[in-house]
Amino acid sequence: MAAAQEEKREEKKFSIWDLPDVPEKLPPHLEFARTRVQCNLDAPVHTESITYSGAYASMRVDNSVQLDFFQEKFRVEVKRLTKDDMEFDLIGIDPSIANAFRRILIAELPTMAIEKVFIANNTSVIQDEVLAHRLGLIPIAVDPRLFEYISENDSPNEKNTIVFKLHAHCKRGEPRLTVKTKDLIWLPNGSEYLLEGQNPDSSSSSKPKTYTSFSCSQDSLPEFANNPISTLPDITIARLGPGQEIEFEAHAVKGMGKTHAKWSPVATAWYRMLPEVVLLEDIEDEDAEALVKTCPVKVFDIEDIGNGKKKAKVARPRSCTLCRECLRVGEEWEKRVSLRRVKDHFIFTIESTGALPPEVLFTEAVKILEDKCERVFSELS
């Protein structure tokens, strides 16, 4: 008898998931808030990223990040690639990942940059410290992966230091002389300046010590035999008047942008969410022409629909800069045009300084992020 009553009680139990009105997918307004940023005339809304896995548990929707779903959705599409810059789309990722790539590109990718300048003579109007600072910002066209980092205890050698020299003199009676980076001469055998206390006229058989300790010439190494180290050629270093002269030796070492901006391999790296422009109703004739004229980047275009009528259409949504001029055409235009941003679709742009091609910079950034993840896993295991 007791067993029968217990079975009846179990039969009366029910789950909230058994109710017919519990949806198994998000309603349209919640799905829109989860995947889009709505850009109104006064301010954007739905800007937050909902990452909590149980945010929609009451609707039987799993919001957790699943590897198979990520692999299916994530992709990289290259839109433009030149020698110095690259534009590509990162689709299906969280903003934190896109921002991680940006920060790595700016601050954690190593390059070679001038760190020490030994000035023998400078009679130009540029002070020594300003000249040294300008030299430090000159991009050096060499692969930093071929060099090692130098520490305080290391001596400059062919594996961690690049040496340049420059000697420019504007003679009296001649026009002003523009000194450019093409005048920098690479010294594959290292420094030519002697250390203090060294006598170049000494009869000693030992070689006088300089500011570097190269065991071999850099141009004898296979990676530099047919590819001499140079800088970008057309950057102005100084302008010399008649009688002025500069002579110095510059030593470049390996470093990262988080130490100093001169080691950053990118002029800039940034991203923006993909614009989405939607016409909520048909805009025709005079209103269509007014809409096309008001957009400064020509997002809209006119379509002929016959019978002498014209209709506005969205032709170039990717060009939208969110200036919101289309919402200021007249009253109630917010109900006719909707400006949005896709939360998991990023337009990424990399502008290289010239040290490495932009596609190499991105692949190196991916490797660094991968190393960071592996380090976290090893610490947690």
Side-chain angles (χ1 to χ4, degrees):
M1 187 71 177
Q5 291 179 351
E6 185 67 25
E7 289 178 359
K8 288 182 179 180
R9 276 197 291 267
E10 289 181 357
E11 290 177 357
K12 291 181 181 179
K13 290 182 180 180
F14 67 93
S15 173
I16 190 174
W17 308 118
D18 297 329
L19 295 176
D21 58 342
V22 176
E24 294 187 1
K25 65 178 182 179
L26 291 180
H29 69 285
L30 289 182
E31 182 65 20
F32 180 85
R34 188 179 71 89
T35 61
R36 298 294 188 271
V37 176
Q38 177 68 44
C39 303
N40 296 328
L41 185 58
D42 53 351
V45 294
H46 309 316
T47 56
E48 68 281 354
S49 295
I50 302 173
T51 56
Y52 173 50
S53 60
Y56 307 110
S58 61
M59 301 179 186
R60 304 184 70 175
V61 175
D62 185 8
N63 196 48
S64 61
V65 178
Q66 299 181 10
L67 181 60
D68 55 349
F69 179 75
F70 173 79
Q71 291 176 335
E72 178 183 350
K73 193 176 181 182
F74 175 72
R75 59 186 193 275
V76 179
E77 297 179 355
V78 178
K79 299 297 183 180
R80 185 183 74 250
L81 177 61
T82 65
K83 178 182 177 182
D84 298 320
D85 64 88
M86 174 183 181
E87 182 182 293
F88 58 95
D89 289 5
L90 288 175
I91 304 171
I93 64 169
D94 190 78
S96 59
I97 305 298
N99 193 49
F101 284 131
R102 183 190 66 85
R103 292 175 64 92
I104 291 173
L105 285 164
I106 293 174
E108 297 188 46
L109 277 179
T111 60
M112 303 295 290
I114 293 173
E115 173 70 358
K116 293 182 179 180
V117 181
F118 300 90
I119 298 178
N121 188 15
N122 179 19
T123 58
S124 69
V125 296
I126 302 178
Q127 299 93 333
D128 291 353
E129 59 272 21
V130 177
L131 178 61
H133 184 266
R134 289 178 63 84
L135 292 170
L137 297 175
I138 295 173
I140 300 175
V142 64
D143 192 341
R145 295 171 293 185
L146 302 176
F147 290 87
E148 301 173 352
Y149 289 99
I150 185 172
S151 65
E152 295 180 356
N153 300 324
D154 294 334
S155 59
N157 56 55
E158 70 280 0
K159 295 182 180 180
N160 57 31
T161 304
I162 303 173
V163 181
F164 297 96
K165 76 172 181 178
L166 187 146
H167 186 193
H169 180 213
C170 182
K171 297 180 180 180
R172 296 188 182 276
E174 294 185 355
R176 288 181 177 273
L177 175 66
T178 300
V179 182
K180 295 194 173 185
T181 47
K182 64 182 180 182
D183 300 316
L184 286 168
I185 300 174
W186 172 42
L187 299 179
N189 293 312
S191 175
E192 295 178 350
Y193 288 178
L194 301 180
L195 288 172
E196 294 182 6
Q198 295 292 311
N199 184 7
D201 300 327
S202 174
S203 59
S204 174
S205 59
S206 61
K207 182 181 177 181
K209 292 184 179 179
T210 63
Y211 286 94
T212 57
S213 302
F214 281 26
S215 60
C216 66
S217 176
Q218 287 178 328
D219 57 6
S220 66
L221 301 176
E223 53 266 29
F224 304 124
N226 299 319
N227 186 25
I229 299 173
S230 62
T231 61
L232 300 186
D234 295 324
I235 301 175
T236 299
I237 297 176
R239 294 197 68 189
L240 303 181
Q244 294 179 350
E245 181 181 6
I246 53 174
E247 182 181 1
F248 61 80
E249 195 174 83
H251 294 196
V253 298
K254 188 176 180 178
M256 293 185 183
K258 61 183 178 182
T259 303
H260 192 283
K262 66 183 178 182
W263 279 298
S264 181
V266 294
T268 185
W270 79 94
Y271 61 86
R272 61 189 179 102
M273 287 184 286
L274 178 72
E276 189 178 71
V277 183
V278 179
L279 298 180
L280 303 179
E281 61 181 52
D282 290 341
I283 302 175
E284 300 178 351
D285 300 332
E286 295 180 357
D287 287 345
E289 293 179 357
L291 179 63
V292 171
K293 289 180 181 179
T294 194
C295 181
V297 292
K298 308 301 180 184
V299 170
F300 304 99
D301 207 348
I302 294 291
E303 180 183 6
D304 189 358
I305 58 176
N307 297 326
K309 290 188 176 182
K310 300 176 181 179
K311 184 175 71 172
K313 68 175 183 178
V314 180
R316 290 166 288 274
R318 189 182 179 91
S319 302
C320 179
T321 60
L322 260 185
C323 65
R324 299 185 178 94
E325 287 298 320
C326 56
L327 303 181
R328 300 186 180 98
V329 176
E331 296 181 0
E332 304 297 327
W333 271 77
E334 276 191 278
K335 297 179 180 179
R336 308 181 73 181
V337 181
S338 177
L339 301 181
R340 308 167 183 175
R341 288 287 189 266
V342 183
K343 289 186 179 180
D344 64 346
H345 190 143
F346 299 94
I347 301 173
F348 213 106
T349 305
I350 300 174
E351 290 185 5
S352 172
T353 59
L356 288 174
E359 66 272 20
V360 176
L361 293 177
F362 181 67
T363 55
E364 290 299 309
V366 173
K367 293 177 183 178
I368 291 176
L369 184 60
E370 183 181 2
D371 292 341
K372 288 175 176 284
C373 295
E374 291 179 353
R375 203 177 310 131
V376 172
F377 292 149
S378 63
E379 291 293 333
L380 294 177
S381 60

